[in-house]
Every structure is written in C-alpha cells, then in structure tokens.
C-alpha cells in the first residue's frame, strides 16, 4: 500500500497550520459544505490508513491550485491529491468517469504502441507545416474533442489552427506529429501513473523521431505536462517546451507581429494550468493589449484568483461543478464583454456545456473563443 | 502492492489468439429472440462473437464501445430491433446516433469505421441474424487484429470500495 506518511512528507502536508485559508479559496468548498481541503489534509494526517484512499472527496478536488496558491505554509496540494489518488488507483479505486468513460478509453487506447492515427485531416493548405523542423507544434487532443463534442459545437480545433497561423506569421513552419498521443495529464491526475508513463514515453519517442529540439504547446495541460511532468518522471527529454503565448508576446514586444483594429470588448479567463500552475498571466494580457481598439475588462476573479472551469480530468462532474461554471459565466457576463477568451480547449468545452442549460441558458450566454484563434484573427493582413 | 489486474470475463474464454475477438451487444427483444430462433433451428454462427445481452441497444454509448476496443476487441457488433419497432421507441435510434460518433472516433484512431456495425434484426429472424453475424465475422477476419493491446487495470468506484478493502 502506498505510504501515506511519505506523501504527507513530500507534499509538505505536515506543515499545515490548520488555518483554513485553502477551504476559503476552494471553489468546490464554496458550493459543497462537505468538502474541505483542510479536512482532507487533516484526515490524511490523523487516519494515515487505507480509509484515506476510500474517501470519495479525493476525486472531487479540481486540482485547480487555488488552495496551493494561498497556503502560507507552502503545502503542495496538487502533489498531495495526486499521490493519494495514485494510492487509491493502485487499490483499484477510481473517480466517477463522465461521458460514459469514452475519454478514459481514448487515453488508454492511445497508449498502444502500434497505433496509426488519422488525426490530421483538419490541416489545410493555408496552414504551413513541415515533415521535419526544429520546432514541433503539439496539437493535443483537440481533434478528438472536436469530434466527440460535435453536439456542443465546441470548435476545439480553433486553438490549434490559430496557433499554427501565429507560428507561420512569426516565420516558423512547425512539424506536427501524425501519431502524437494524449499528453497523459488526465491519467496522471487520476492516479493512473502507469497509463501516464505509457503515453509520455510514446510522445517522447515521437518527438525525438521528428528531430525537433523545441516543442510549442498551446493547450495549458499539455504545456504543464510536457514541461514539468515529463522531465520529473522520465528525466531529460531532450527537447525544450515553450508556450505559444511566450513566443507571441515576445514577437509583439519586438514589433514583428502586428494587428488590425478590433472594436470589441473582451475578458480573458486564466486556465488553472496556465495561470496558477505555470505562472503565465502577463503574456495574454500583453498580447491583447497590443491589438488596437480592443478593450480588455477583467472578471471579479482573475489572475491568481481566477475561477476554475469547474471540472477536471473528465470525472466527477455534478451539481457543484455546474455551479462553479455558472459562477464563472456570470462573472464574465457582468464585465459587459462581447467575448470571453480562454486558452484551454477543455475550459471552453465545460463552459460551452454549462451555457446549454435550459433554464439559465440566456443568463449565461456569452460568445466564447479560443485565445489563439482570436489573436490569429486579429493579425494585420 | 501489486495491482489487481483483471481481464474481462468475456475475453478470458477467448482461447485462441489467432481467432478474432468480437463483442456483440444484443438487445433483449428483436435480436435476442432471433438468436433463440437460430438456436432452435440449429443454425451455425461464428463462435468468436461474444454476445452480451442488454435490455435495449439504447444502452450502449460511445464510451462502452470504445471500452471494448480498449480491452482488445477486434470488432463490435450491435444487434437490435429495426428502427420503428424498438420496444422503447427510441432506443435503436439513439444507438444509431452513437454508432455514427463511434465510427468517427475509430477513424481518428486509425482503426477505421468498419470495425463497428449495427444490424437491425427483424423480430425473431434467426436466418437473417446468423447470416449477418457470419458476414461481420468474415469482415473482421479480413481486417485482421486490432493494433490495441492494452490490458486495463480494474476500476472500482470510490463509493463501492469500502466492501473491497
Ligand atoms: S491553507 Fe495551508 S496551512 Fe492553511 S489549512 Fe490549508 S493546507 Fe493547511
Ligand atoms: S486544488 Fe482547487 S478544488 Fe482542489 S482543494 Fe484546492 S482549491 Fe479546492
């Protein structure tokens, strides 16, 4: 059995002061009085037995890092939760899969060695890509999302097409792997370390074969996973990982990217993986600030206090998650913005889903766009 | 501690690695009565199709069928009532919607859309059913084995776990 004491030590949960700040910042606790990050830490320390793994609350946490950001004792909550989930998973316990488990099945299927995917049909002639290049663009699971969520008309690939357009304009013709796998973020986050490792190894192999020394990612989860988790689990991967926003912000700064005027009001949502977890807050705002005529308004919760989109790793989605999404959309509407921009394809899906509410629908409806596609659309002709 | 790994029962009986592994989801009404009729008439149909009885084909969804592929199925056959005579009115129509989505997902995965097939079985028509099962089995034989070899970990939901630990 997984050593809970070790987890408590490694995640620094032992230094918890029982102050409760985490619970006050937690979006789940705000809507579910039975959930409290502080109590999870408390129970793990006091029980330290197998019952900790049986705790259903383990799967409710969104790993949004709101608690981690505010904790004065530096408890690494994400690590703590993932380790406990890993222990639970080893005993055959898991969260509740949403969407009939289709996305989990996809992730597991993608771990197969001999897969020969057909995932690049959306590439058009306007998007310049090369068979080999120094730079590889990591698409992520958007081709699958776009198909699976066709009902919601999520347009998940817009983030990818926008990113390639931006790269091309910066003079970069990226390689794209036809057999790229899911990055494994969700399996790792659900405690399936073994499944994660299979995907990670496949991707490292694919990237090595492409000869690229730099991988550009637009998906926040993919970015965090490739940049932080791959080296953590696999050692030196042999490539550098950059977020597209870093490149674009730099190009805006040195004047190589210019925009035409966009007379709109937008608000930007910081995805957990990009904001709190990777610290990318300024880049999107700098980029938007360079678009003439564009008015940027902030939601009540933004930057490090930004609201999570409410769901994680395609599991345990229920009324609490919905309430968090409603809260976020209400904040976005309250800004009076025409468009809500998000950099994460999953945040986009979750928020689009919440907008389909028959009763609240009209209250929540706001145009939502992928950050990269919006910025690419504003490029000077 | 070692992981409890469990290969689903259906595949454990699947003896010979060279034989195709096909999962057949069968609706309890039109299709199952067809199977019974085939049995009564002593008709032969491919033994590599492992049949799973459901109350209605409306029970299947994309996740369930993808799961079968994740567990190593080479093909998935869905046997239900003809549209319009579903016992729950809309079940088979829902299944058809799912199949359209499943085919797209299988295409993306490079498995091709031919590995899943829905047959609308006229109530109790054993001959028709046996023929269609055999045709599908032949098709899967021609396509060859699925490239997916993953053996999944057994999953237990947290709220059911108390009885297990
Ligand atoms: S904020 Fe940190 S120190 Fe305070 S209760 Fe939460 S984990 Fe403990
Ligand atoms: S990571 Fe987010 S959801 Fe999980 S306990 Fe912390 S604040 Fe709550």
């Amino acid at each position: 059995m997984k050593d809970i004491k070790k987890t408590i030590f490694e995640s620094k949960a032992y230094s918890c002061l029982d102050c409760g700040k985490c619970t006050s910042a937690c979006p789940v606790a705000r809507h579910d009085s039975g959930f409290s990050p502080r109590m999870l830490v408390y129970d793990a320390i006091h029980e330290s037995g197998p019952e900790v793994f049986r705790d259903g609350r383990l799967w409710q946490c969104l790993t949004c890092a709101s608690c981690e950001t505010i904790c004065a004792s530096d408890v690494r909550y994400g690590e703590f939760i993932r380790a406990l989930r890993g222990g639970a998973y080893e005993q055959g316990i898991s969260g509740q899969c949403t969407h009939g488990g289709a996305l989990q099945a996809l992730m597991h299927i993608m771990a197969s060695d001999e897969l020969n995917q057909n995932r690049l049909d959306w590439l058009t002639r306007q998007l310049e890509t090369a068979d080999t290049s120094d730079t590889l663009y990591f698409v992520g699971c958007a081709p699958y999302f776009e198909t699976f969520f066709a009902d919601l008309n999520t347009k998940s690939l817009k983030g990818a097409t926008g990113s390639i357009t931006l790269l091309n304009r910066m003079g970069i013709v990226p390689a794209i792997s036809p057999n790229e796998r899911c990055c494994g973020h969700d399996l790792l986050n659900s405690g399936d370390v073994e499944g994660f490792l299979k995907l990670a190894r496949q991707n490292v192999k694919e990237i090595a074969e492409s000869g690229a020394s730099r991988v550009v990612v637009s998906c926040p989860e993919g970015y965090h996973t490739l940049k932080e988790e791959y080296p953590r689990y696999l050692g030196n991967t042999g490539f550098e990982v950059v977020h597209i926003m870093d490149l674009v912000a730099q190009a805006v700064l040195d004047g190589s990217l210019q925009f035409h005027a966009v007379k709109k009001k937008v608000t930007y949502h910081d995805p957990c993986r990009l904001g709190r977890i990777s610290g990318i807050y300024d880049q999107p705002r700098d980029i938007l600030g360079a678009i003439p005529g564009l008015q940027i308004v902030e939601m009540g919760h933004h930057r490090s206090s930004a609201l999570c989109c409410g769901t994680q790793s395609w599991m345990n989605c229920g009324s609490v998650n919905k309430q968090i999404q409603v809260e976020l959309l209400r904040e976005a509407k309250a800004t009076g913005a025409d468009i809500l921009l998000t950099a994460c394809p999953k945040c986009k899906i979750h928020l689009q889903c919440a907008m389909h509410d028959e009763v609240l629908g009209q209250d929540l409806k706001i145009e939502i766009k992928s950050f990269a596609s919006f910025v690419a659309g504003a490029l000077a002709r | 501690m070692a992981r409890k790994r469990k290969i689903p029962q259906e595949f454990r009986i699947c003896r010979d690695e060279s034989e195709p592994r096909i999962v057949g989801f069968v609706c309890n009404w039109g299709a199952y009565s067809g199977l019974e009729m085939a049995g009564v008439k002593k008709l032969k149909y491919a033994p590599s199709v492992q049949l799973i009885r459901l109350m209605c084909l409306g029970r299947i969804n994309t996740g369930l069928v993808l799961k079968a592929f994740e567990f190593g199925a080479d093909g998935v056959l869905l046997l239900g009532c003809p549209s319009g005579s579903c016992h729950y009115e809309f079940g088979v129509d829902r299944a058809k919607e799912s199949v359209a989505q499943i085919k797209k997902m299988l295409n993306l995965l490079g498995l091709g859309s031919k590995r899943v097939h829905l047959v609308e079985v006229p109530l109790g028509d054993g001959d028709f059913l046996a023929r269609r099962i055999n045709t599908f089995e032949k098709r899967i034989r021609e396509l060859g084995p699925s490239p997916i070899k993953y053996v999944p970990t057994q999953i237990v939901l947290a709220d059911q776990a108390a009885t297990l630990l």
Side-chain angles (χ1 to χ4, degrees):
Chain A
M1 194 176 69
K2 184 130 189 149
D3 188 353
I4 299 174
K5 293 216 174 87
K6 194 165 159 244
T7 298
I8 291 169
F9 179 75
E10 285 173 353
S11 62
K12 290 188 71 188
Y14 64 82
S15 65
C16 172
L17 302 172
D18 213 14
C19 70
K21 278 187 179 167
C22 49
T23 305
S24 70
C26 172
V28 177
R30 208 158 37 238
H31 299 284
D32 177 354
S33 55
F35 183 83
S36 150
R38 179 183 65 87
M39 281 310 290
L40 270 173
V41 171
Y42 183 93
D43 289 348
I45 292 174
H46 288 261
E47 289 169 356
S48 312
E51 59 280 6
V52 175
F53 298 130
R54 256 179 265 153
D55 195 332
R57 293 174 301 174
L58 216 53
W59 310 95
Q60 267 177 283
C61 164
L62 305 168
T63 54
C64 72
S66 297
C67 51
E68 207 167 319
T69 310
I70 207 168
C71 175
S73 303
D74 202 18
V75 173
R76 290 198 285 273
Y77 209 80
E79 221 176 293
F80 170 75
I81 283 285
R82 270 192 295 277
L84 291 187
R85 285 180 182 174
Y89 197 88
E90 276 177 16
Q91 300 188 29
I93 305 170
S94 176
Q96 176 85 263
C97 297
T98 56
H99 305 288
L103 294 135
Q104 281 78 5
L106 262 183
M107 298 169 209
H108 287 143
I109 287 175
M110 274 197 244
S112 281
D113 292 336
E114 292 163 54
L115 215 57
N116 203 352
Q117 296 171 78
N118 185 16
R119 49 177 289 148
L120 297 180
D121 278 359
W122 49 274
L123 280 175
T124 57
R125 237 183 300 150
Q126 282 81 12
L127 303 170
E128 271 186 85
T129 58
D131 288 339
T132 52
S133 168
D134 285 350
T135 303
L136 180 133
Y137 173 64
F138 189 88
V139 177
C141 295
Y144 290 95
F145 295 161
E146 174 130 344
T147 303
F148 188 74
F149 294 104
D151 281 7
L152 289 173
N153 194 20
T154 58
K155 299 204 172 75
S156 300
L157 279 164
K158 287 267 184 182
T161 52
S163 298
I164 299 174
T165 309
L166 287 165
L167 286 173
N168 288 168
R169 191 60 80 87
M170 290 184 280
I172 302 166
V173 179
I176 294 190
S177 163
N179 256 321
E180 176 192 310
R181 307 302 209 276
C182 160
C183 68
H185 172 277
D186 289 346
L187 292 186
L188 184 62
N189 206 42
S190 325
D192 182 0
V193 181
E194 200 178 308
F196 159 76
L197 284 173
K198 284 187 187 166
L199 292 169
R201 288 199 190 98
Q202 298 279 4
N203 278 326
V204 169
K205 195 178 108 213
E206 292 287 334
I207 295 167
E209 280 170 7
S210 81
S213 56
R214 174 172 72 163
V215 178
V216 177
V217 192
S218 56
C219 171
E221 291 188 347
Y223 172 69
H224 166 73
T225 308
L226 264 67
K227 193 180 166 74
E228 306 290 340
E229 307 294 359
Y230 281 16
R232 191 195 319 261
Y233 283 88
L234 302 174
N236 181 15
T237 53
F239 51 81
E240 180 200 1
V241 181
V242 217
H243 196 271
I244 180 98
M245 282 189 190
D246 274 326
L247 295 179
V248 176
Q250 188 55 45
V252 165
L253 198 67
D254 62 29
S256 55
L257 274 187
Q258 264 138 29
F259 303 101
H260 62 70
V262 180
K263 297 233 167 345
K264 292 266 184 198
K265 201 169 171 183
V266 296
T267 186
Y268 171 76
H269 164 245
D270 295 276
C272 308
R273 269 49 179 178
L274 205 59
R276 279 183 293 274
I277 294 178
S278 305
I280 300 189
Y281 296 119
D282 293 332
Q283 295 87 324
R285 290 169 173 87
D286 291 349
I287 298 166
L288 294 175
I291 301 177
L294 191 70
Q295 202 188 332
I296 307 147
V297 280
E298 296 283 9
M299 287 183 262
H301 291 89
H302 60 278
R303 296 179 73 103
S304 66
S305 72
L307 290 172
C308 170
C309 74
T311 332
Q312 38 109 32
S313 303
W314 311 113
M315 60 183 181
N316 291 54
C317 184
S319 60
V320 170
N321 311 77
K322 176 66 175 283
Q323 285 172 52
I324 298 170
Q325 288 152 4
V326 167
E327 196 183 351
L328 198 164
L329 287 169
R330 288 220 160 107
E331 277 197 5
K333 290 276 287 197
T335 61
D338 307 309
I339 306 170
L340 165 61
L341 296 175
T342 180
C344 175
K346 280 186 183 169
C347 293
K348 193 157 164 258
I349 292 168
H350 296 143
L351 296 173
Q352 280 167 312
C353 173
M355 278 190 238
H356 272 249
D357 190 295
E358 276 186 22
V359 182
L360 299 173
Q362 282 314 317
D363 258 19
L364 309 178
K365 276 227 160 61
I366 179 168
E367 189 179 355
I368 179 164
K369 280 195 165 171
S370 127
F371 179 86
S373 87
F374 178 80
V375 174
L379 283 172
R381 306 222 154 79
Chain B
M1 191 177 107
R3 281 194 184 176
K4 285 181 222 136
R5 287 196 174 282
K6 192 176 171 203
I7 302 172
Q9 199 68 36
E10 290 80 17
F11 291 148
R12 247 204 250 141
I13 0 170
C14 200
R15 0 39 12 203
D16 185 354
E17 278 299 310
S18 64
E19 287 292 300
R21 307 173 199 219
I22 298 169
V23 177
F25 290 108
V26 196
C27 111
N28 185 50
W29 307 100
Y32 204 80
S33 65
L35 283 176
E36 278 175 339
M37 192 49 75
V40 169
K41 290 183 157 181
K42 298 206 164 122
L43 298 173
K44 286 210 169 113
Y45 56 82
S48 52
V49 184
Q50 316 264 330
L51 297 168
I52 299 170
R53 174 144 66 145
L54 307 170
M55 282 311 278
C56 175
L57 263 202
R59 170 65 183 88
I60 66 121
N61 55 36
T62 304
L64 210 55
V65 174
L66 287 181
K67 203 92 197 149
F69 284 104
E70 175 194 335
F71 286 3
D74 299 316
V76 175
L77 185 58
L78 306 167
L79 305 169
C81 299
S83 190
S85 45
C86 168
H87 274 57
Y88 306 95
E89 290 181 21
F90 56 86
V92 75
D93 296 328
R94 283 297 324 276
K96 282 184 178 172
E97 285 166 26
S98 300
V99 168
Q101 189 185 41
I102 293 159
K103 283 183 183 280
K104 286 187 195 145
M105 301 302 276
L106 292 180
N107 259 333
L108 281 168
L109 285 167
L111 288 175
S113 56
K114 287 187 161 172
R115 290 187 187 268
V116 63
H117 185 52
L118 186 145
V119 181
E120 297 171 60
V121 186
L123 185 70
D125 192 338
D127 293 277
F128 176 86
L129 190 60
R131 264 198 322 275
R132 300 302 285 271
I133 292 179
N134 290 337
T135 323
F136 186 70
E137 199 250 12
K138 192 164 155 255
R139 183 203 282 185
I140 297 301
R141 243 175 229 287
E142 280 163 13
L143 287 172
S146 151
I148 299 156
K149 295 281 178 292
Y150 190 76
V151 182
T153 314
Q154 183 195 9
I155 303 285
V156 184
L157 295 180
D159 45 352
Q160 299 162 1
T163 52
L164 235 127
L165 291 174

